[in-house]
Amino acid sequence: MFERLKRVWLQAKAQRKIKKYDKKYRRAKPLLERPPSFHVEDAFDAFVKEFGGQKVSDILSEKKGMPLNADYFFKDHNVIAELKTIEGIYSGPDGPKQLTDTYIEAGYSGSDVMGLLWRNEPIPTDVSQLIRKRIRRSLEQRIKKARKQLKMTKEMFGTKDTKSLILIAMDSDPVFGHETMFGNIVNIMADNYMDEHTDGIVYMTPNTPSTAPNLSMEMSMWIPSYRDEGENSHFVDFVNLLGSGWLKFSGEKIGEETPILQMETEHEVRAVIELFGNRSNNNR
């Protein structure tokens, strides 16, 4: 009872922090449309070079028959990272069609889908089970490949103290919101992959900024999660520094000021996900 009240109070406090930030940086005139999307992998490659990291493919002397390697090596920080761009999982322009196909496969009609999208009717249980299964399977395939790449690259360049980081970039608006996608990723990691081959994972939304009711700004998220809650401060500081640098870099790329709002606690992060990760807020 008291824990629940404490959680509600802390999340309300975090929401006040977000609204204060919004009031400080909100635009006098809102954007009429979003800036055009950019190629995430190419942009992140350029950012990593500016940040002081290296592409692993540039380090390898033998290009032919290149092994299954991770994307980046941050030698000064002793961190290896792999970037996975997520699209096509009930997201983007094809998302509604994927959703409709799932309804029809489960024996429903297109009008039932409209009930969800336009009248916010609940998803039938059997359809929901199919959707959860497919989202999880698609995300898990990417995570498993990323872990294999990190493991092989660590064997080539790392030591026992080298940290491994998976970067998940959601590159198109998810039908069910960022909260659903991030929640699935965290659950997959917690269920099967809490070991030395993945020390942290980041969920980022470079081309899919989100808004929330009563707020004027859109947020581009960088949400880290760690295998060990007591993860050493050097690694956590590196991930925060990488995130701040990337948000500024990507903001400059689209010609937008990107003031950074750093959430300090789990409750603050949860408040951000609940405010900006909801399906109805993102699919406007």
Side-chain angles (χ1 to χ4, degrees), residues 52-69:
Q54 296 172 281
K55 286 191 68 177
V56 172
S57 60
D58 292 339
I59 304 172
L60 294 171
S61 57
E62 182 57 59
K63 303 293 184 183
K64 189 175 181 180
M66 187 180 295
L68 189 67
N69 58 274

Side-chain angles (χ1 to χ4, degrees), residues 111-131:
S111 62
D112 293 312
V113 183
M114 294 301 102
L116 167 69
L117 296 178
W118 298 105
R119 298 187 295 277
N120 206 29
E121 294 176 358
I123 302 175
T125 301
D126 47 352
V127 176
S128 179
Q129 290 173 345
L130 270 176
I131 291 170

Side-chain angles (χ1 to χ4, degrees), residues 51-91:
F51 188 83
Q54 296 172 281
K55 286 191 68 177
V56 172
S57 60
D58 292 339
I59 304 172
L60 294 171
S61 57
E62 182 57 59
K63 303 293 184 183
K64 189 175 181 180
M66 187 180 295
L68 189 67
N69 58 274
D71 287 322
Y72 310 111
F73 182 37
F74 301 90
K75 186 175 181 180
D76 292 345
H77 301 275
N78 200 19
V79 175
I80 293 168
E82 170 64 19
L83 173 65
K84 291 297 182 192
T85 302
I86 303 297
E87 53 188 354
I89 307 176
Y90 293 102
S91 63

